Every structure is written in structure tokens, then in C-alpha cells.
Amino acid sequence: MVKKRSDFEHKVLARGSKPVDFARYAAWEIGLENLRNKRCKRMKIKGSTTHTGQARIFKIFDRGTQKHPGDVALWMSYLEYCKQAKATKKFKTVLTAAIRLHPLKAELWLYAARWSLESEADMKEARSYMSRGARFCTMSKDLWIEWAKLEMIYLAKISIRRKILGIDVEEVADDAMEIEGAGDDAAFGSEDVIAVPNFKMNTIRPSMLEGVPVDKEAAQDPMNTPALQGAIPLAIFDEAKKQQFFNPSVAADFFDMFAVFTQVRCLPKILQHVLDALTESYPRDPFTCNCYNKQPLVGIDPISPEFPVALGTFLDRLKESMEKTKDKTALAKKTKAWIEPMLATSELDPGIKTVLEHTMRKL
């Protein structure tokens, strides 16, 4: 162990040392510390020097981040170890230092917001991180979409909580859906389930809001509360429109993200707002036409009695859009992409399946 430690010290002290050298050194010390803890537990040795081992690892990361302050991956490794060691005070210190050095790194702001939700159950602090990050990262569309998604998850949780508390008369089971995509547990309780796919690994997930209290907001009248009518997600979208990264593709990403939250009562208002913005700025763009076509089908199950009427509206809009769009090929490709999953539905009505297949052939 002494020789191994000495070898690592020579590497990190050398003139051409790299951030990965410090990361490997810290990883070896972490493995050694875990092994020592297991042996102490097996041999029932009390009073072991756990803090000494942690202090040594913290020192390695401190030296590494001081020598290579521009390496974000090393900072993230440091933060992950602090979380693993449950060193909350140290974690906050390191996180503050990392954000101060790299305020333009969207992943750090998102990481901070995720931590606030998972570890602190603090929605106010998570919002603060996201809003400050959006002010710095004006070129990161993902951060703005994640911020809006955070607010939509919060609204969906309030909506489901209202049903559980008996404020809304609809059955809770109507909105309790299994999460799609990553297989992450999205339960907020025995019945609080929000359906929202994970677009990527480093993203806001419903399970992160598990401990966030919402009873106070849920008890308010949504008709008299702007926040419960979608004012915050709409404000985020309107601010995103002013950024340089905004284009029809980004607006369509907002539309698709919002469309997942069928539990939110103000969803039609939010979708219409996004569609109005698209229509005003990009009336003939394929992204605009695709969102316009999908709008009647949002939140409607393909095997439900309401689906045929919505499908008829969709077909009328599709015909209208194909005549006015500036790129029919792109619109046809986008339409096929979300019709195909419908055709895969096992209980789909034969008549509806025939109509959809005929539509696919025409496209």
C-alpha cells in the first residue's frame, strides 16, 4: 500500500500530471477505505479511523481541483464522493466552488437542482438553481427545458394530490400511469405516479420530488392561483423565446415535453400557448405543422371511445398542413414517427388501424 500510494504521489506531483491521475488516485483510496470498513465490520472492530480515510480522499480531490480547476469531470467526481460519504457540509462547499468557477456549465446547475430535490426536498432552492443557471447558460436549451419540466412535474404532483385529498372528484387511477423509458420508480406515495419519460440520464425525474410537500398548494383554488394555471412554465417558455438558441425545433421539444403531463389541468392552455408562438413565428415550418396535427390527440388513449373523434380532427389537420408546409417530406417523416407506436397497440380497433395504415401509405 505504501508503494502504491507513493507511485500515485509521484504521478500527481509530476510536471505533466493530468486530472485523470488525481481521479485514479482518489478511486484507489476510496476502494481501500471501503475494504477497510468491510473488514472492521466483519471483525467487529469499533472506533475505526473512518474520518481519517475520508480526510485523505478529500485532500486528494482538493489538490486535483486546485491544480486542474477547469476539469468539470473531476469536480463532478468530487461531488459524487461527497454525496456517497454523506458529507453534506463539504458537498455544499465544493458545489459552490464548482459553480463559481464554471457558471456557464449547464450540467452543474442541473446537478445542483437535482441534489436540492433528492437530498433536501427543497423545491424553492431547486428553482433558485435553475433560474440562476438559465441566466448564465443562455445558449443551453436543455437547461431551459429541464426547468420547465421541473415545474410541470410539480404541477402534476399537486393535481394528483388534490385527487388524493378528495378536492377533485376524478378518480386517482385515471392519472396513475407507469413511467415510460428508463424504468425509474416515479412513485410519490402509494398512488402518486406521474408519467414522464427520461430524456437522458442527467435529467429531472419525478421520483426526485418524492419528499417535496405540496399539500398547502394543493388546497388552493386553481382558478384563483396563477401558478396552478401554468403561469410559471409559460413564463419560462416565453423567456426561452428571447434566447439565441430558440428555433422551431426547440419549441417543438417544449411542446412534446409539456404534452406528457396529462394530469395537469391547465395543459390545453399551455399547449395552445406554445402552438400560438410557433404559428406566429414559423407558420409553414414542419415542426409547427407537426405540433398542430398532434394537438387533438394529446392525452387520449388510442383504445378509448374519444379517440375516433380526435383522429378525425387529426386527419383534417394533416391534410391542411400538407398543403401549406414548406417541407412535405420532413412533415411526413415526423408524422410517421408517432403514428407507428399507435399501430403497435395490441387492443387497437381494426377500423382505426386500417385508417392509420392507409394514412401511413399516403405519407
Side-chain angles (χ1 to χ4, degrees):
M1 288 192 298
V2 172
K3 184 180 184 303
K4 190 74 173 176
R5 193 170 282 152
S6 178
D7 291 341
F8 277 120
E9 285 291 338
H10 278 94
K11 286 183 179 179
V12 299
L13 292 174
R15 185 184 298 272
S17 64
K18 300 177 181 179
V20 69
D21 295 328
F22 287 94
R24 288 171 180 165
Y25 188 7
W28 181 80
E29 288 287 358
I30 292 171
L32 185 64
E33 183 67 13
N34 291 337
L35 179 61
R36 188 191 61 77
N37 288 332
K38 288 181 180 178
R39 287 186 176 178
C40 288
K41 185 176 180 180
R42 187 179 72 245
M43 300 173 68
K44 299 181 180 179
I45 298 175
K46 297 182 179 180
S48 60
T49 56
T50 302
H51 297 293
T52 303
Q54 284 186 3
R56 184 182 295 114
I57 297 168
F58 287 152
K59 186 64 176 178
I60 294 170
F61 276 120
D62 284 334
R63 290 163 60 192
T65 51
Q66 287 172 10
K67 193 167 185 178
H68 304 282
D71 192 84
V72 178
L74 189 60
W75 282 105
M76 296 295 283
S77 299
Y78 196 176
L79 290 168
E80 282 298 313
Y81 176 70
C82 291
K83 281 177 60 177
Q84 178 187 334
K86 298 181 180 179
T88 305
K89 186 176 180 180
K90 185 69 173 178
F91 179 91
K92 291 181 178 180
T93 302
V94 176
L95 180 61
T96 302
I99 288 177
R100 282 177 178 173
L101 279 170
H102 304 282
L104 301 182
K105 297 292 184 180
E107 57 267 32
L108 285 174
W109 293 106
L110 183 55
Y111 185 90
R114 283 159 50 93
W115 175 80
S116 299
L117 293 173
E118 287 181 305
S119 302
E120 303 285 305
D122 192 339
M123 184 67 181
K124 184 178 180 181
E125 187 177 10
R127 280 177 174 150
S128 175
Y129 278 123
M130 296 297 272
S131 62
R132 282 184 288 158
R135 286 200 298 270
F136 282 102
C137 306
T138 55
M139 296 301 294
S140 175
K141 71 178 183 71
D142 291 335
L143 184 65
W144 288 81
I145 293 175
E146 289 294 323
W147 185 15
K149 187 169 81 169
L150 170 66
E151 296 296 341
M152 291 300 292
I153 293 174
Y154 190 66
L155 288 177
K157 185 178 180 183
I158 290 175
S159 178
I160 293 176
R161 194 62 184 163
R162 286 176 62 84
K163 294 183 177 71
I164 292 175
L165 294 174
I167 300 174
D168 289 340
V169 297
E170 295 89 353
E171 293 293 328
V172 179
D174 292 341
D175 285 332
M177 301 170 61
E178 293 183 359
I179 191 167
E180 304 173 12
D184 178 65
D185 233 352
F188 293 126
S190 58
E191 295 174 310
D192 293 286
V193 180
I194 291 179
V196 50
N198 287 325
F199 301 105
K200 53 183 181 297
M201 289 301 294
N202 189 27
T203 187
I204 300 292
R205 295 191 295 273
S207 57
M208 294 176 181
L209 276 74
E210 184 173 351
V212 177
V214 298
D215 283 1
K216 183 178 178 181
E217 288 80 0
Q220 300 179 29
D221 184 0
M223 301 307 295
N224 299 322
T225 310
L228 297 184
Q229 295 181 32
I232 299 178
L234 289 178
I236 295 171
F237 176 77
D238 289 340
E239 283 299 313
K241 285 197 304 181
K242 303 174 185 177
Q243 308 306 318
Q244 297 181 25
F245 62 76
F246 192 81
N247 56 41
S249 175
V250 174
D253 288 341
F254 269 101
F255 184 94
D256 292 337
M257 182 274 294
F258 287 140
V260 174
F261 296 92
T262 55
Q263 306 91 341
V264 178
R265 294 176 62 179
C266 59
L267 179 62
K269 173 185 174 182
I270 295 174
L271 293 181
Q272 188 60 49
H273 183 85
V274 177
L275 187 57
D276 289 343
L278 273 167
T279 304
E280 180 182 353
S281 302
Y282 317 99
R284 299 177 59 244
D285 193 272
F287 285 102
T288 302
C289 296
N290 189 44
C291 292
Y292 175 69
N293 296 341
K294 288 193 294 185
Q295 188 186 24
L297 298 175
V298 171
I300 299 180
D301 194 326
I303 61 175
S304 67
E306 297 83 9
F307 187 76
V309 177
L311 181 62
T313 306
F314 155 70
L315 293 175
D316 292 339
R317 291 191 176 192
L318 178 61
K319 182 179 179 181
E320 175 189 345
S321 298
M322 291 298 288
E323 293 175 354
K324 73 176 183 179
T325 184
K326 63 182 181 181
D327 191 341
K328 293 184 179 181
T329 304
L331 179 58
K333 185 177 180 181
K334 295 179 186 302
T335 305
K336 288 180 180 179
W338 57 270
I339 287 183
E340 287 175 354
M342 292 185 188
L343 289 172
T345 305
S346 58
E347 300 178 6
L348 190 65
D349 183 87
I352 293 177
K353 187 174 183 180
T354 301
V355 171
L356 290 176
E357 288 175 345
H358 176 68
T359 303
M360 290 282 283
R361 287 193 297 269
K362 288 180 65 178
L363 291 172

